[in-house]
Amino acid sequence: RTIYVDYTGYDAVSHHCGPERMESIDALAGIDRAIGSLGKAARHTWRPYRMVVLSDHGQALGATFRQQHGATLEDVIATFLSDDAIVAGTTGEAESEGIGNRMAAEFGRSSGLGRSGADPAASTPRSGGGSGPGPEEAPPDVVAAASGNLAHIYFPDLPGQATDAAVGARWPRLIDGLRQHPGIGAVIVHSAEGHPVVLGASSRLDLATGQLEGTDPLEAYGPLAADAIRRLSGFSTCGDLVLLGALDPVTGEVTGLEELIGSHGGLGGWQTDPFILVPAGLELSGAPLVGAPSLNHELRAWQDVLAAG
């Protein structure tokens, strides 16, 4: 009764080439032809089908953190730690596998385009360089996992959800160094009271109480940014620190914290502009479609309408 088809070609290609490059548009045209084929096939089925086309996210453009600042996020974090500290980058390769990765290799752009971030085994001592820790070596002091212009920072040796005081006691220069870095737009950390707090270069916003010092550090990221960060901070797997890459409010370009030209997973820019294309006769309920639960509710309501008809 219900068929789901997931087309990932445009997403994969535009990660490596950019959302509006010719290669990406070609991939999008291919998806359009595939949807057209489904539409033609549906005219010859005994059961009537209605087609809903969903883009669950957009994709933001922007030079990466490394391109803009000459160092990876892991390298910068290491500069605020002790000399013997180890920072591991664990950005996964899932988004960069498949057609985009193969195409990047064919273009001969293996230095940058063929990678989605640091090798999961790679670690960066403060002195720079180094290979991944072997089975006999100590675990990293800091783990950074990025998706687009958002990164979770974990401290394995700090128990539970680390507070700003706990991080400050362990690494006194880290939080202030990150919030002042031009490639970082905001740092999210929990206070001693358990409140998610957003820190800008010279501002502070308590998301639990709404107390604001200075200008709103989330203003450039859109009107739903505070709710999104508040929800993210409530997950048990949320990082001890969460970083938002800097955003250009004029162009909408983001600072990607992994090595992808087009990115999503954070806040700001085109990545927060999805769409849903619905046949005439299937009306929206009027409630804002914010987040997966509300979208799921709408899709189920349309299923019920079609089943009753």
Side-chain angles (χ1 to χ4, degrees):
R1 188 164 71 95
T2 302
I3 301 172
Y4 295 93
V5 181
D6 190 9
Y7 292 104
T8 60
Y10 170 79
D11 181 83
V13 175
S14 55
H15 272 306
H16 296 277
C17 298
E20 294 187 311
R21 286 290 296 272
M22 182 182 299
E23 299 90 341
S24 305
I25 299 304
D26 284 347
L28 193 60
I31 293 174
D32 184 62
R33 290 191 295 270
I35 292 174
S37 297
L38 292 178
K40 291 177 182 178
R43 300 191 195 110
H44 302 284
T45 59
W46 63 269
R47 168 182 286 158
Y49 284 98
R50 298 293 181 270
M51 198 172 297
V52 174
V53 181
L54 168 69
S55 167
D56 61 343
H57 59 76
Q59 193 160 138
L61 183 67
T64 68
F65 186 94
R66 186 177 70 175
Q67 289 172 329
Q68 294 185 43
H69 304 289
T72 66
L73 176 63
E74 292 85 3
D75 291 333
V76 169
I77 289 174
T79 64
F80 301 120
L81 310 180
S82 58
D83 289 344
D84 59 348
I86 297 174
V87 182
T90 63
T91 300
E93 295 278 347
E95 289 280 14
S96 65
E97 290 174 349
I99 184 172
N101 214 13
R102 292 196 298 272
M103 186 175 68
E106 290 170 6
F107 288 163
R109 301 175 182 172
S110 59
S111 59
L113 290 180
R115 303 278 296 173
S116 73
D119 187 318
S123 59
T124 306
R126 193 201 184 296
S127 57
S131 59
E136 303 298 325
E137 296 180 28
D141 299 279
V142 181
V143 177
S147 177
N149 71 321
L150 180 143
H152 291 268
I153 310 300
Y154 300 93
F155 306 100
D157 61 343
L158 296 181
Q161 176 72 62
T163 65
D164 51 0
V167 176
R170 182 74 175 84
W171 310 110
R173 300 189 300 132
L174 180 60
I175 292 179
D176 210 43
L178 289 174
R179 69 189 291 194
Q180 299 295 333
H181 193 282
I184 303 298
V187 176
I188 296 92
V189 65
H190 281 78
S191 67
E193 296 77 21
H195 298 178
V197 174
V198 185
L199 304 173
S202 57
S203 58
R204 183 182 189 275
L205 172 63
D206 187 317
L207 291 177
T209 65
Q211 183 178 0
L212 174 64
E213 301 172 12
T215 58
D216 184 356
L218 293 177
E219 182 177 5
Y221 294 94
L224 300 178
D227 288 338
I229 294 298
R230 195 178 291 111
R231 178 175 181 271
L232 179 66
S233 299
F235 288 110
S236 61
T237 51
C238 180
D240 296 307
L241 301 179
V242 175
L243 309 181
L244 290 177
L247 169 70
D248 187 323
V250 177
T251 65
E253 293 187 0
V254 303
T255 300
L257 302 177
E258 54 182 342
E259 292 304 308
L260 294 173
I261 295 173
S263 67
H264 57 85
L267 286 172
W270 302 338
Q271 65 185 315
T272 54
D273 289 333
F275 70 82
I276 186 167
L277 182 64
V278 183
L282 294 181
E283 300 292 336
L284 291 167
S285 65
L289 289 182
V290 179
S294 64
L295 181 62
N296 179 264
H297 175 79
E298 203 76 53
L299 291 171
R300 288 180 175 275
W302 289 332
Q303 280 186 322
D304 293 341
V305 169
L306 295 174

